[in-house]
Amino acid sequence: MAKTYEGGEALAEVVRSGFVEGVHRGSVVVLDGSGAPVAGAGDGTSPIFPRSASKPLQTLGMLRAGLALTDPADVAVVSASHAGEEFHLARVAALLRSAGLEPAALGCPPDLPFGEAAREAVLRAGGGPSRLAMNCSGKHAGMLLTCLAAGWPLDGYWRPGHPLQQRLTATIEEFTGEPAAAVGVDGCGAPVLAVSLTGLARAYLRLVTAGGGGEESAVADAMRAYPELVGGTGADDTRLMRGVPGMLAKIGAEGVFAAALPGVGAVALKIDDGAGRARMPVLVSALRRLGVQAPILTEYAEIPLSGGALPVGAVRPVW
């Protein structure tokens, strides 16, 4: 695996009034149900930060380390980049209370809700940023509970040298089949590991094909059963899991998306400029190469652009 991500190729174009005014470059990897590559573009073998697309693997590592969650909905919110809606905050707060912890114990920074509607509701009510509302609070709550279960100190649980993070690193490296090329600090303050898009797609495929009632299937099954907890109302990964039965999907910051369907295959992609608007059309193009068809894919095949109150163009895939 190369040391530096080389950048991708043109994957989507921005067309306004029949004129191409911009191009989004990136990389994408498509694996079939056996894990063999069937399509791709750009640089799928050099390391990138998957950002929050790593969360299902982090949750898997927590379960392996002793995190005991009897309700699959809790597994889903630990794996979430939630929108900060009331049902998200209530679920995370209940997790903390179950361990005798307060939101102040969370190591993630205070933030306003990620979802626009939830953010506006907080501001209208005169509220402000909180650790609970930060979109990674579920993951951090899970990390705290894992430390309690394993007998590890809570202090500095988010630091790379902590036993928890070392355990999560080992899980990610095992499931991607790669050593982490770099360790960074994610937006929530926890570590993020650099792996290739090929490794990320491989890991998602393993999650959806493991079966047997183990930790892998516990993570995949929980996310697919409670997709609103993973993202939120209208979130792309939430809607995709609702619209394609059996699909496991997760957004990552900076234009990352990973998805897998048992018996079909897996996709991992990165839009180089981090633009979220190009992510879904490219994902649809990739899924269709695997033969996946569903009405939700038609909705995402192109992202409309407006001029005034009229539709005047779209972001559409060129790969």
Side-chain angles (χ1 to χ4, degrees):
M1 186 168 63
K3 295 293 185 182
T4 304
Y5 175 62
E6 297 178 357
E9 60 187 69
L11 297 181
E13 62 183 9
V14 184
V15 182
R16 182 178 297 275
S17 304
F19 181 82
V20 177
E21 67 171 345
V23 174
H24 294 289
R25 304 177 67 85
S27 299
V28 57
V29 168
V30 184
L31 307 181
D32 67 15
S34 71
V38 295
D43 183 1
T45 60
S46 298
I48 56 103
F49 283 138
R51 303 297 297 274
S52 285
S54 301
K55 284 178 177 173
L57 301 175
Q58 291 172 311
T59 301
L60 172 60
M62 293 182 221
L63 295 177
R64 286 178 156 192
L67 177 61
L69 299 174
T70 57
D71 191 337
D74 290 331
V75 178
V77 83
V78 168
S79 309
S81 298
H82 64 70
E85 296 171 84
E86 284 298 324
F87 62 90
H88 295 124
L89 306 189
R91 176 67 60 174
V92 178
L95 266 180
L96 292 170
R97 284 197 304 272
S98 73
L101 298 172
E102 297 293 332
L106 296 168
C108 55
D111 201 357
L112 289 167
F114 180 73
E116 183 177 353
R119 182 170 59 251
E120 290 178 353
V122 168
L123 294 174
R124 281 197 307 269
S130 71
R131 295 183 189 276
L132 201 62
M134 202 272 167
N135 72 85
C136 299
S137 65
K139 178 179 79 174
H140 279 259
M143 288 179 173
L144 286 166
L145 269 63
T146 303
C147 289
L148 290 175
W152 294 326
L154 300 186
D155 183 48
Y157 71 86
W158 62 88
R159 296 193 177 100
H162 191 281
L164 168 68
Q165 301 303 333
Q166 293 178 340
R167 183 68 64 89
L168 302 191
T169 295
T171 299
I172 290 172
E173 290 182 333
E174 175 189 345
F175 270 69
T176 60
E178 302 172 357
V183 180
V185 180
D186 214 334
C188 66
V192 59
L193 307 180
V195 296
S196 73
L197 289 171
T198 298
L200 184 62
R202 184 187 300 125
Y204 270 63
L205 192 59
R206 289 188 63 179
L207 286 175
V208 299
T209 58
E215 290 94 351
E216 299 96 328
S217 58
V219 174
D221 291 348
M223 292 175 65
R224 292 179 291 192
Y226 297 94
E228 283 78 15
L229 286 172
V230 174
T233 305
D236 292 339
D237 44 11
T238 295
R239 296 191 68 225
L240 188 64
M241 286 190 282
R242 279 288 178 218
V244 184
M247 180 74 74
L248 176 68
K250 186 70 187 68
I251 288 172
E254 294 301 321
V256 175
F257 204 107
L261 195 59
V264 177
V267 175
L269 66 89
K270 176 177 173 59
I271 305 301
D272 289 350
D273 62 9
R277 65 181 182 177
R279 191 162 43 193
M280 295 306 290
V282 175
L283 179 68
V284 169
S285 179
L287 290 173
R288 285 178 170 168
R289 291 164 194 259
L290 291 171
V292 181
Q293 300 292 334
I296 188 70
L297 300 187
T298 302
E299 292 183 40
Y300 278 122
E302 294 187 355
I303 303 301
L305 296 177
S306 297
L310 299 175
V312 296
V315 180
R316 64 191 186 192
V318 295
W319 169 72

